[in-house]
């Protein structure tokens, strides 16, 4: 076990989580708590015990993510088998930038189908129940997974590293984007404007309202970044657009 790399990975992964989730929490749950309360998707705040549970499980998730990083990047029998590369010239700048939307589509697809699988009655309590204890999620819920679910979630990194060429900076940038959107999804506030969910682009984009409904009701709205698979399989909640408009239409009292 390469403990130095483990702690470096923990510092990087955990640092992103605490910085971005902490910043969002500071703004919306502390500084602007009263000023923006009327815009809260669910008009109540989680309990302090909810925050503590979310942070505790997130720390466990960070440790699991870091352990997998050690295996993928430092294990002498695993690391040489991965598709990781170090020189951009090896595949060129076109592929370097093309990899990001490709990774987004791969991750969204992986997330949708594993997410639906974890909602199966035989698996839900063992994998996904911990995350759904946040029925009114806060930014701290972004990584609040049961260890078994954390293993499923980090599987996307394994998929990346054994299917498409991955430059050493691809994962750094991609997972920065991921944690930002993940925190937004659990923010408890909607940042997109009223009417966005019905626009030509907006109807394919996941929103904080969309994911908040999933936490509140446990069914429907399974996507991560996009709503493509939800719309293909008819799993967008029928009350989603109405709920989005209701939240966006609220006026400051």
């Amino acid at each position: 076990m390469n403990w130095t790399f483990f702690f470096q990975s923990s510092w990087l992964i955990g640092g992103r989580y605490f910085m971005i989730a902490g910043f969002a929490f500071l703004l919306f749950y502390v500084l602007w708590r009263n000023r923006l309360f009327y815009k809260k998707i669910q008009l109540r705040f989680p309990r302090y015990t909810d925050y503590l549970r979310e942070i505790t499980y997130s720390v466990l998730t960070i440790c699991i993510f870091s352990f997998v990083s050690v295996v993928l990047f430092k294990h002498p029998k695993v690391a040489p088998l991965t598709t990781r590369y170090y020189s951009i010239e090896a595949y060129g700048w076109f592929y370097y930038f093309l990899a990001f939307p490709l990774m987004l589509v791969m991750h969204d697809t992986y997330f949708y189908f594993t997410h639906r699988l974890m909602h199966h009655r035989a698996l839900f309590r063992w994998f996904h129940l911990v995350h759904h204890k946040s029925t009114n999620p806060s930014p701290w819920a972004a990584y609040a997974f049961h260890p078994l679910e954390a293993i499923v979630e980090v599987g996307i990194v394994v998929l990346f590293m054994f299917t498409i060429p991955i430059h050493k900076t691809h994962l750094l940038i991609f997972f920065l984007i991921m944690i930002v959107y993940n925190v937004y999804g659990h923010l408890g506030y909607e940042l997109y404007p009223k009417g966005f969910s019905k626009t030509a682009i907006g109807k394919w984009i996941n929103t904080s309202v969309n994911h908040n409904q999933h936490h509140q009701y446990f069914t429907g709205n399974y996507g991560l970044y996009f709503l493509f698979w939800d719309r293909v399989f008819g799993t967008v909640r029928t009350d989603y657009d109405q709920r989005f408009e209701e939240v966006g239409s609220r006026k400051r009292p």
Side-chain angles (χ1 to χ4, degrees):
M1 180 69 171
N2 188 325
W3 288 106
T4 299
F5 191 77
F6 174 83
F7 288 117
Q8 288 175 344
S9 297
S10 298
W11 180 260
L12 176 63
I13 298 169
R16 285 189 304 224
Y17 165 78
F18 281 102
M19 182 184 305
I20 296 169
F23 180 71
F25 184 83
L26 178 64
L27 287 183
F28 289 92
Y29 288 73
V30 179
L31 298 179
W32 298 342
R33 178 185 177 96
N34 295 325
R35 182 190 309 176
L36 293 182
F37 177 69
Y38 74 102
K39 283 290 190 181
K40 187 83 167 57
I41 297 171
Q42 296 184 48
L43 293 172
R44 57 190 177 90
F45 285 101
R47 298 166 298 181
Y48 289 106
T49 53
D50 292 322
Y51 302 142
L52 179 61
R53 184 194 65 256
E54 291 171 349
I55 293 172
T56 300
Y57 277 104
S58 292
V59 170
L60 289 175
T61 295
I62 290 164
C63 291
I64 292 170
F65 285 4
S66 300
F67 175 77
V68 172
S69 297
V70 172
V71 174
L72 287 175
F73 303 135
K74 295 299 180 181
H75 194 285
K77 292 185 178 180
V78 177
L81 301 177
T82 67
T83 58
R84 195 180 191 200
Y85 70 101
Y86 296 88
S87 173
I88 292 180
E89 286 70 24
Y91 292 92
W93 283 102
F94 178 77
Y95 173 77
Y96 179 82
F97 289 108
L98 178 65
F100 290 110
L102 178 61
M103 293 166 75
L104 279 172
V105 171
M106 289 176 65
H107 192 193
D108 189 72
T109 301
Y110 177 87
F111 181 87
Y112 178 86
F113 288 103
T114 56
H115 191 185
R116 286 201 68 180
L117 182 63
M118 288 187 291
H119 270 268
H120 189 280
R121 66 179 65 184
L123 300 177
F124 183 80
R125 63 176 294 197
W126 301 105
F127 284 79
H128 202 40
L129 177 59
V130 162
H131 191 62
H132 267 284
K133 287 185 177 181
S134 299
T135 55
N136 183 22
S138 82
W140 299 120
Y143 277 172
F145 306 131
H146 184 281
L148 291 177
E149 180 172 3
I151 293 172
V152 173
E153 299 295 347
V154 78
I156 187 59
V157 183
V158 179
L159 182 63
F160 286 157
M161 298 300 292
F162 287 95
T163 57
I164 62 174
I166 295 293
H167 187 264
K168 62 180 181 179
T169 59
H170 275 144
L171 294 181
L172 292 174
I173 298 172
F174 178 80
F175 284 107
L176 176 61
I177 297 171
M178 183 276 289
I179 188 60
V180 169
Y181 212 81
N182 201 357
V183 167
Y184 156 69
H186 295 90
L187 184 62
Y189 292 85
E190 186 52 69
L191 302 183
Y192 286 117
K194 176 185 175 183
F196 178 78
S197 70
K198 296 181 180 180
T199 64
I201 295 176
K203 69 178 182 179
W204 301 105
I205 303 298
N206 200 5
T207 66
S208 191
V209 167
N210 185 282
H211 195 65
N212 194 281
Q213 282 190 307
H214 178 77
H215 274 265
Q216 185 175 6
Y217 301 113
F218 287 43
T219 58
N221 303 359
Y222 297 102
L224 177 57
Y225 307 110
F226 311 116
L227 297 181
F228 175 77
W229 292 113
D230 273 310
R231 295 205 180 277
V232 166
F233 290 103
T235 52
V236 177
R237 289 185 57 88
T238 57
D239 59 346
Y240 164 54
D241 286 328
Q242 179 183 355
R243 180 66 166 158
F244 190 94
E245 290 303 294
E246 185 273 319
V247 173
S249 298
R250 293 179 191 164
K251 304 297 183 182
R252 185 188 298 273

